[in-house]
Amino acid sequence: MDRRTLLAVSGWLATTAAATLVGLAAVDLVGADIAGTAGGVRTEQDVARALAVPEAGPSGAAASATATPAGTGSATPTGARRGFTTPGGSVIAECGPGGVRVVTSSPTPGYRTKHADLGPDDHVEVRFVGDDQEYELRLRCRDAVPVKDVKD
């Protein structure tokens, strides 16, 4: 191999390596913005804390006093929206003209939703079942705010 061919092959390899590195750096930079999670990865406890809204009651915790409009586009305002968390899962409920309704429910890993009466009704129930444990949330409205309902 003569010197000129060796120089051409070396130049081509250096250019290819530089282009590959620039491409990988660009994909890494753009990919972090596209696929990355804002604020980093959240733990199960972080999600439960974010969903939990303090309950009003004898414990003295403040209630959410914000009224949220109905998600159906109706001009009729609903009562407060509130989150409830058990080790089996989380539920967000709100009160409206038809009573309490479940906005969303999500079982924690290892649990599934066995029964869900989503409302709107006088009361709603969501039951989360795991391998050896079961948790039930029974909710109703009190003063247009969802609260836990103790079964009789």
Side-chain angles (χ1 to χ4, degrees):
M1 199 187 257
D2 68 351
R3 187 177 178 148
R4 190 173 198 191
T5 305
L6 186 60
L7 193 57
V9 169
S10 297
W12 180 82
L13 285 174
T15 304
T16 303
T20 301
L21 290 174
V22 168
L24 288 173
V27 167
D28 186 45
L29 181 65
V30 172
D33 288 340
I34 293 172
T37 55
V41 177
R42 295 185 180 204
T43 65
E44 188 177 318
Q45 290 79 15
D46 292 338
V47 172
R49 245 190 324 271
L51 288 174
V53 176
E55 287 185 42
S59 65
S64 171
T66 308
T68 54
T72 59
S74 163
T76 307
T78 62
R81 188 176 277 196
R82 177 175 276 162
F84 301 88
T85 304
T86 71
S90 301
V91 173
I92 297 177
E94 70 181 0
C95 293
V100 64
R101 78 176 184 94
V102 173
V103 176
T104 184
S105 68
S106 177
T108 56
Y111 287 83
R112 62 184 172 81
T113 304
K114 181 178 179 184
H115 170 75
D117 175 13
L118 305 178
D121 204 346
D122 292 338
H123 73 275
V124 294
E125 296 176 13
V126 179
R127 189 175 304 153
F128 301 108
V129 178
D131 289 337
D132 58 349
Q133 195 77 23
E134 185 173 313
Y135 297 95
E136 181 181 57
L137 278 172
R138 186 174 162 102
L139 309 172
R140 65 183 180 90
C141 290
R142 182 183 306 150
D143 301 324
V145 176
V147 294
K148 286 184 184 179
D149 188 21
V150 179
K151 259 187 164 177
D152 295 327

